[in-house]
Amino acid sequence: MKNLGFAILAVLASISSIRAQNNNTTTAAPVPVDPITKMITYEGVVEVKGAAAKTLYKRSLEWFNSNYKNPTDVIRENDESGNKIVGKHRFKITNPPDKSGVRGDAGLVQYTVTLASREGRFKYEITEFSWKQLSVYACERWLDKSAAGYLDVYNDYLIQIDKEMQDLIANFKNYLTHEKPVKDKDSW
């Protein structure tokens, strides 16, 4: 009888350790984390040959105005002399689909986007991700799988953030690197 009890305990312990190992080996979300600030940060410098800093600044402002429904609410700093625009925006995230395939609302994620330009290049930085709650809830908390309150759904939220940011980056890179055709009003 004692041997049977020990055998059952041994089996339960091995199942428990296998489960714990499986939970720790799940792939990390694909969001980039700055090694210094430990914050989720998307950043880069894009070369635009022959483009003046003022031209890139104007294209950045046009992009903010065309990309966001309410650009005056998004833009927090518009420094024309420094060729820099800082904005804060929000987007919805959803919970994974339930048994019937419906994805429920999980709230809003806010982020800060900065576009700055110099001669022949512009820099973008997207950071300060927070989940809109009663108090500020930094999305970096979703990265710590060993935290007491960690939920598996957080990885799904991080994947949604990454997809949203990759789309945003592709959108403004395309907008800022391609000159818009100007209609010649005198040619008739």
Side-chain angles (χ1 to χ4, degrees):
M1 205 58 167
K2 280 186 182 179
N3 289 341
L4 182 61
F6 284 124
I8 291 173
L9 283 176
V11 169
L12 290 175
S14 65
I15 290 172
S16 174
S17 73
I18 289 170
R19 255 192 175 166
Q21 287 173 358
N22 286 342
N23 286 343
N24 289 336
T25 58
T26 54
T27 56
V31 293
V33 177
D34 185 281
I36 297 169
T37 64
K38 306 291 187 227
M39 294 175 67
I40 298 171
T41 304
Y42 294 82
E43 61 185 342
V45 176
V46 179
E47 301 287 328
V48 185
K49 293 186 179 176
K54 283 292 176 210
T55 302
L56 290 173
Y57 164 79
K58 287 179 183 175
R59 286 186 200 167
S60 297
L61 187 58
E62 288 171 7
W63 176 79
F64 269 93
N65 288 326
S66 67
N67 190 61
Y68 296 114
K69 289 181 185 176
N70 188 357
T72 54
D73 183 49
V74 173
I75 296 173
R76 303 297 168 94
E77 180 184 331
N78 187 354
D79 182 7
E80 187 174 357
S81 62
N83 299 318
K84 179 179 170 183
I85 303 172
V86 178
K88 285 189 178 281
H89 189 250
R90 301 170 289 290
F91 63 93
K92 283 186 179 184
I93 56 173
T94 58
N95 288 314
D98 60 12
K99 292 178 184 176
S100 60
V102 177
R103 293 181 71 98
D105 187 22
L108 296 171
V109 170
Q110 181 171 294
Y111 62 92
T112 300
V113 57
T114 304
L115 294 178
S117 57
R118 291 190 180 166
E119 299 299 318
R121 65 188 188 274
F122 71 90
K123 178 183 179 183
Y124 66 89
E125 182 181 58
I126 308 170
T127 191
E128 297 178 11
F129 290 88
S130 62
W131 193 20
K132 299 299 282 180
Q133 300 290 307
L134 292 176
S135 63
V136 176
Y137 190 96
C139 293
E140 288 79 12
R141 292 173 61 181
W142 294 339
L143 296 168
D144 185 8
K145 292 185 176 191
S146 64
Y150 180 80
L151 300 173
D152 289 336
V153 72
Y154 293 162
N155 198 53
D156 188 57
Y157 295 166
L158 291 168
I159 290 169
Q160 290 178 59
I161 288 174
D162 187 62
K163 182 184 178 336
E164 185 78 22
M165 292 306 104
Q166 295 299 338
D167 292 347
L168 185 75
I169 290 167
N171 183 311
F172 67 68
K173 277 184 178 179
N174 183 47
Y175 197 96
L176 270 64
T177 56
H178 294 92
E179 193 170 341
K180 302 287 175 253
V182 178
K183 185 175 179 181
D184 184 9
K185 294 179 182 180
D186 291 334
S187 149
W188 45 280

